[in-house]
């Protein structure tokens, strides 16, 4: 009974070779392929899985491409330019309607296959529209659909979406490839404590911008991410300065004079009716991070001072990440 209950809670199941082959054949029949051609393609697919240990999704795409022009064109484009392949299934693309008219198992597997290709190339922004709407229960490889979409969400700091997919993947860990389950657990542990506006989030945003620059991106998306980093750094510096100001005021109030002579070298306790002798005016002076040109154009002395405020009492690897990021920005011009 316990095993049956656990099985009923699993939202996905892995398919074996026979089940994949049957799904392929049924999908090709639904598409309108000749029955003999569907049977031949599905049998060839099954033998490839058994005899050559070929990747199921690669073999599936190869089998479908032989009988559908849209998938054949998409596979040919993806082999040369994954970005162009992603653009070809955008709703505004000419081939979009033809791809979307395919039976659902074919569509879901094609999108998972292309999404995997894009994620492996760190093209997360392009992968997300491709793989986001995949119904994993209709894919021939649900584990890959969940893993690569979860990895995409993780890379783009979409915390809740990443946790949902990765935890769903781990619901059926026994049917999950070991490499997927291990990496999924690491990604869950990595992103679960992430908090908005934290130094951890800022560091990750910097890593993301570095990735985009490495890919040759310098578009509005990159500029927007950089501005987000600057805004979050400004907010963090303001918060740290406010905390420092409050600590100074508390210290000054605690060390104020009682108005009388000290007794035995010690000051008497502060009387309730007396006003504390702190010298602070209570106003917080915010750090100016410059105008629209941003952080990268601050004078070196001011930038160094701001970095010191950020990194005070925090792990040094955050400071190193921040300094490396802005050093790279300066180098890139």
């Amino acid at each position: 009974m316990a095993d049956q209950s656990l099985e009923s809670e699993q939202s996905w199941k892995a398919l074996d070779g026979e089940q994949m082959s049957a799904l392929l054949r049924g999908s090709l029949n639904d598409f309108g392929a000749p029955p003999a051609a569907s049977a031949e393609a599905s049998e060839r697919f099954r033998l490839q899985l058994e005899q050559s240990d070929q990747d199921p999704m690669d073999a599936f795409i190869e089998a479908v491409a032989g009988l559908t022009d849209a998938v054949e064109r998409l596979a040919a484009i993806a082999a040369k330019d994954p970005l162009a392949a992603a653009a070809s299934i955008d709703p505004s693309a000419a081939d979009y309607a033809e791809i979307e008219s395919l039976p659902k198992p074919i569509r879901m597997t094609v999108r998972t296959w292309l999404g995997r290709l894009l994620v492996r190339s760190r093209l997360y922004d392009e992968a997300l529209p491709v793989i986001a709407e995949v119904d994993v229960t209709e894919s021939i490889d649900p584990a890959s659909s969940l893993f690569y979409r979860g990895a995409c969400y993780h890379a783009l700091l979409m915390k809740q979406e990443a946790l949902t997919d990765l935890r769903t993947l781990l619901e059926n860990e026994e049917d999950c490839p070991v490499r997927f389950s291990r990496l999924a657990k690491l990604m869950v542990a990595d992103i679960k404590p992430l908090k908005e506006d934290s130094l951890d989030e800022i560091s990750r945003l910097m890593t993301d911008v570095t990735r985009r620059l490495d890919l040759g991106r310098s578009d509005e998306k990159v500029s927007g991410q950089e501005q987000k980093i600057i805004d979050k750094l400004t907010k963090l510096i303001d918060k740290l300065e406010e905390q420092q100001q409050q600590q100074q005021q508390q210290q000054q109030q605690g060390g104020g004079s009682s108005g009388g002579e000290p007794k035995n070298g010690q000051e008497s306790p502060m009387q309730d009716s007396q006003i504390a002798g702190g010298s602070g005016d209570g106003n917080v002076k915010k750090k100016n991070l410059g105008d629209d040109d941003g952080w990268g154009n601050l004078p070196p002395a001011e930038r160094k001072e701001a970095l010191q405020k950020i990194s005070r009492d925090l792990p040094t690897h955050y400071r190193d990440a921040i300094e490396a990021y802005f050093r790279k920005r300066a180098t890139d011009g």
Side-chain angles (χ1 to χ4, degrees), residues 105-169:
I106 295 179
R107 297 200 319 270
M108 299 302 102
T109 303
V110 165
R111 285 183 171 273
T112 298
W113 172 80
L114 181 55
R116 179 182 69 177
L117 180 63
L118 294 164
V119 169
R120 286 175 172 177
S121 300
R122 300 192 302 158
L123 299 169
Y124 306 116
D125 296 282
E126 292 76 15
L128 187 56
V130 171
I131 203 170
E133 300 302 322
V134 168
D135 181 351
V136 299
T137 63
E138 296 285 349
S139 170
I140 67 157
D141 191 350
S144 288
S145 300
L146 288 166
F147 176 80
Y148 286 104
R149 188 169 64 190
C152 184
Y153 286 139
H154 176 272
L156 294 176
L157 305 185
M158 300 174 69
K159 177 178 175 179
Q160 294 306 321
E161 293 85 351
L163 289 175
T164 297
D165 271 351
L166 296 172
R167 286 169 173 167
T168 302
L169 175 69

Side-chain angles (χ1 to χ4, degrees), residues 61-314:
I61 296 300
E62 181 182 326
V64 173
L67 295 173
T68 60
D69 293 339
V71 176
E72 184 179 21
R73 286 195 302 271
L74 181 66
I77 295 171
K80 297 179 180 179
D81 187 354
L83 288 175
S88 71
I89 60 173
D90 183 87
S92 62
D95 284 346
Y96 175 77
E98 193 170 355
I99 292 289
E100 287 301 297
S101 67
L102 295 171
K104 195 171 183 180
I106 295 179
R107 297 200 319 270
M108 299 302 102
T109 303
V110 165
R111 285 183 171 273
T112 298
W113 172 80
L114 181 55
R116 179 182 69 177
L117 180 63
L118 294 164
V119 169
R120 286 175 172 177
S121 300
R122 300 192 302 158
L123 299 169
Y124 306 116
D125 296 282
E126 292 76 15
L128 187 56
V130 171
I131 203 170
E133 300 302 322
V134 168
D135 181 351
V136 299
T137 63
E138 296 285 349
S139 170
I140 67 157
D141 191 350
S144 288
S145 300
L146 288 166
F147 176 80
Y148 286 104
R149 188 169 64 190
C152 184
Y153 286 139
H154 176 272
L156 294 176
L157 305 185
M158 300 174 69
K159 177 178 175 179
Q160 294 306 321
E161 293 85 351
L163 289 175
T164 297
D165 271 351
L166 296 172
R167 286 169 173 167
T168 302
L169 175 69
L170 294 171
E171 284 177 4
N172 194 6
E173 189 173 349
E174 291 184 358
D175 284 343
C176 182
V178 175
R179 68 185 187 281
F180 282 2
S181 62
R182 289 180 178 175
L183 288 173
K185 290 177 182 178
L186 289 173
M187 285 190 283
V188 168
D190 176 67
I191 203 168
K192 185 178 179 181
L194 180 65
K195 295 182 179 179
E196 187 176 1
D197 295 331
S198 65
L199 203 52
D200 183 23
E201 184 192 38
I202 294 171
S203 177
R204 292 169 190 252
L205 287 171
M206 291 176 177
T207 300
D208 183 60
V209 169
T210 300
R211 173 187 65 85
R212 296 171 190 272
L213 294 175
D214 289 342
L215 293 171
R217 308 288 172 80
S218 58
D219 52 16
E220 292 183 1
K221 181 68 173 180
V222 174
S223 299
Q225 290 292 86
E226 291 182 330
Q227 186 59 50
K228 183 185 295 186
I229 291 169
I230 292 170
D231 293 342
K232 288 180 179 292
L233 284 171
T234 303
K235 186 175 181 179
L236 183 59
I237 292 172
D238 291 346
K239 182 178 179 180
L240 292 174
E241 287 188 330
E242 183 176 357
Q243 290 175 348
Q244 184 181 20
Q245 183 74 23
Q246 291 174 349
Q247 290 174 356
Q248 290 175 348
Q249 290 177 353
Q250 291 172 357
Q251 292 172 355
Q252 291 168 351
Q253 291 172 356
S257 173
S258 64
E261 293 295 329
K263 299 179 180 179
N264 299 326
Q266 297 181 348
E267 295 181 350
S268 60
M270 176 77 70
Q271 299 296 321
D272 292 340
S273 59
Q274 286 183 303
I275 298 176
S279 60
D281 57 10
N283 296 321
V284 178
K285 181 181 179 182
K286 294 186 177 181
K287 185 67 187 177
N288 180 15
L289 289 182
D291 298 324
D292 293 340
D293 289 337
W295 172 289
N297 293 322
L298 278 178
E302 292 187 33
R303 185 164 62 245
K304 182 178 180 180
E305 178 186 355
L307 284 172
Q308 289 175 343
K309 290 181 180 297
I310 295 172
S311 59
R312 184 184 296 127
D313 298 329
L314 292 169

Side-chain angles (χ1 to χ4, degrees), residues 24-43 67:
L24 171 60
R25 183 173 182 174
S27 297
L28 290 174
N29 287 336
D30 291 341
F31 173 68
S38 298
E40 181 182 353
S42 61
E43 179 63 16
L67 295 173

